[in-house]
Amino acid sequence: MSSKSIVTTSIACLALGACALPASGPYSTNMLSDSKAHISGSAQQFQGDAKQPKLQYTLIEVNENTIGAIVQNRTPFKKAHQWPKNTAAHVTKVEVGDSIQLTIYEQNSGGLFVPKEAGVRPGNFITLPPQIVDQSGYITVPYAGQIKVAGKTSAEISANVTKALADLALAPQVVVSFSNRGGSEVSVLGDVETASRFSLSFNTQRILDVIAAAGGPQSPGYETWISLQRDGHEYTILMDEILLDPKKNIYAQPNDTIYLYSEAEVFNIYGASQVQGTLPFNKRNLTLSEALGRAQGLRDTQADPAEIYIYKEEPIEYIRAIEDSLALDASQIEGDLVPVVYKINLRKTEGFFFAQKFPVQDQDVVYIANAETVEYLKFLNIISSTSSTKSVTKGAF
């Protein structure tokens, strides 16, 4: 095929728009033209009709003007879930099914419970056999009859028994203790070492305490979710949020059901990287530099290091927090989630420092564009293939 024919074919392809080259994503020249706003850190430039109130997506350059605001205002957790505020510690009370024990002290020997010959003992007291609280919530105390104990604290039970024996024993004092717990139970299920249902101890126990009592989680905290069912409501939180914010380690309550499950955070990488697809974080916080490392870096025969893009849906609260630093007018943005594309240039040495700081979050998409020369070589390969096909066809006839 002659040079004249190649040029003619090239012009025809371009004119007809029939020579769309294969690619794994948008061309770098389309990123800016397709966006409604371009943020470089010094100005906001609108594409097309600036009066349109809704942005399709915003392109933000990651550079010395913008990296500070991006990192400083980034919350460590992308997903927001309801979680109860710090609740009061559970006050241990006797429940139906508990087994309690009474020890009754008298002022002197020779009283109702302590005979005179017992005066040589170190203390004038008697310990009654343990009793299980019946379905009506009562136990039986000799000479005092049935005493209501369900729903009462040990101090309240002690006061009631002492009052009932006041006219019978010698200045009685009553100590109440648990011999076995059967109430105030919580359930810990899911990805724990030993799923179980057990009673809360007398000491105040928090969510992490009861998880530890079940053997702890089977997965790391950065990919372990805690689901709490309480009073007909369900709350969910990432375990790392509790570890980093002790205020969220609330007190456990009777009848709580705590379910642990594992859900690893992932990012998606496409384009001119050595590895494409969905890759796990495998750590608490992931930077862009680490994400590119997990994909084994860029293809040096294909990638344009100046065209690295990160696709995110940002909460509107985050956009409003950074608008002053980025010279961004957030009043023109609608919706709770804003589509944003960040661009980073790794052709510049400073770009690698920005990549070390830039936070990648769950479900982010990283796209590496092809270099322009790659598109040109693809085009030449198509022309060359066309020429070879024509020569073979001509020779066959």
Side-chain angles (χ1 to χ4, degrees):
M1 190 175 185
S2 63
S3 299
K4 182 178 180 181
S5 298
I6 293 176
V7 172
T8 303
T9 304
S10 302
I11 294 174
C13 287
L14 294 174
L16 296 174
C19 291
L21 299 176
S24 56
Y27 296 114
S28 57
T29 53
N30 298 131
M31 297 300 298
L32 179 57
S33 61
D34 289 346
S35 67
K36 285 291 184 179
H38 173 211
I39 310 300
S40 62
S42 58
Q44 175 175 339
Q45 303 167 359
F46 286 95
Q47 314 297 325
D49 186 1
K51 296 181 180 180
Q52 292 293 329
K54 186 175 181 180
L55 302 182
Q56 291 182 352
Y57 69 85
T58 299
L59 180 64
I60 299 179
E61 293 186 27
V62 181
N63 53 37
E64 65 277 2
N65 296 321
T66 61
I67 186 63
I70 292 171
V71 174
Q72 182 178 359
N73 293 280
R74 175 68 62 202
T75 56
F77 306 104
K78 185 176 182 179
K79 298 179 180 178
H81 295 266
Q82 288 186 331
W83 188 248
K85 294 183 179 180
N86 201 5
T87 53
H90 170 63
V91 178
T92 303
K93 295 183 179 180
V94 174
E95 305 288 345
V96 172
D98 286 349
S99 179
I100 64 174
Q101 195 169 43
L102 303 182
T103 300
I104 303 173
Y105 292 82
E106 292 189 90
Q107 187 176 31
N108 296 304
S109 60
L112 181 63
F113 294 99
V114 184
K116 291 183 178 181
E117 59 270 18
V120 297
R121 295 189 312 163
N124 299 309
F125 65 89
I126 185 173
T127 299
L128 301 179
Q131 293 189 65
I132 298 177
V133 181
D134 64 23
Q135 292 297 321
S136 300
Y138 286 85
I139 62 171
T140 300
V141 179
Y143 305 106
Q146 287 194 318
I147 302 293
K148 178 79 171 181
V149 296
K152 300 183 181 298
T153 65
S154 58
E156 291 171 336
I157 297 172
S158 175
N160 290 342
V161 176
T162 299
K163 181 178 180 181
L165 296 175
D167 296 332
L168 302 173
L170 298 177
Q173 298 287 328
V174 180
V175 175
V176 181
S177 60
F178 289 86
S179 60
N180 188 30
R181 297 295 310 280
S184 300
E185 294 181 319
V186 298
S187 298
V188 185
L189 310 171
D191 292 339
V192 291
E193 292 298 330
T194 307
S196 58
R197 180 173 177 83
F198 54 88
S199 299
L200 293 171
S201 67
F202 306 123
N203 298 322
T204 54
Q205 287 180 286
R206 297 179 182 267
I207 294 295
L208 293 183
D209 295 328
V210 297
I211 292 175
Q218 294 181 340
S219 302
Y222 54 78
E223 59 185 44
T224 297
W225 291 87
I226 301 174
S227 175
L228 170 64
Q229 295 181 9
R230 173 182 291 177
D231 297 331
H233 300 281
E234 183 176 2
Y235 309 92
T236 305
I237 194 172
L238 186 64
M239 190 171 185
D240 255 13
E241 289 195 52
I242 297 180
L243 296 175
L244 296 177
D245 185 1
K247 292 181 180 179
K248 295 180 179 179
N249 188 20
I250 59 177
Y251 289 104
Q253 300 289 334
N255 301 315
D256 279 354
T257 298
I258 300 168
Y259 179 77
L260 273 65
Y261 64 95
S262 178
E263 185 178 290
E265 292 188 314
V266 297
F267 69 97
N268 306 282
I269 186 163
Y270 307 112
S273 59
Q274 298 288 355
V275 176
Q276 296 87 35
T278 301
L279 302 177
F281 279 26
N282 289 339
K283 66 190 303 289
R284 175 179 289 175
N285 298 313
L286 189 74
T287 65
L288 177 60
S289 178
E290 292 169 326
L292 295 176
R294 290 200 180 280
Q296 300 180 16
L298 282 59
R299 292 185 182 178
D300 57 2
T301 59
Q302 180 181 350
D304 184 354
E307 305 288 345
I308 312 294
Y309 299 96
I310 303 93
Y311 291 72
K312 292 176 179 282
E313 281 193 328
E314 301 285 20
I316 186 61
E317 294 80 9
Y318 170 78
I319 297 299
R320 289 169 179 161
I322 66 175
E323 62 176 332
D324 292 337
S325 301
L326 303 189
L328 170 66
D329 183 8
S331 63
Q332 300 199 42
I333 301 176
E334 294 181 349
D336 296 329
L337 293 175
V338 181
V340 176
V341 179
Y342 295 91
K343 176 186 176 183
I344 189 166
N345 185 354
L346 294 185
R347 284 195 181 276
K348 296 181 178 180
T349 303
E350 61 187 9
F352 284 89
F353 292 103
F354 301 147
Q356 287 180 319
K357 297 178 180 178
F358 187 90
V360 175
Q361 293 184 292
D362 187 35
Q363 301 299 329
D364 281 357
V365 174
V366 180
Y367 171 67
I368 305 167
N370 289 340
E372 293 182 1
T373 54
V374 174
E375 312 306 325
Y376 177 69
L377 291 175
K378 286 181 182 179
F379 181 72
L380 291 183
N381 287 334
I382 293 175
I383 298 301
S384 177
S385 298
T386 303
S387 176
S388 299
T389 302
K390 183 176 181 180
S391 298
V392 171
T393 304
K394 183 178 180 180
F397 293 94

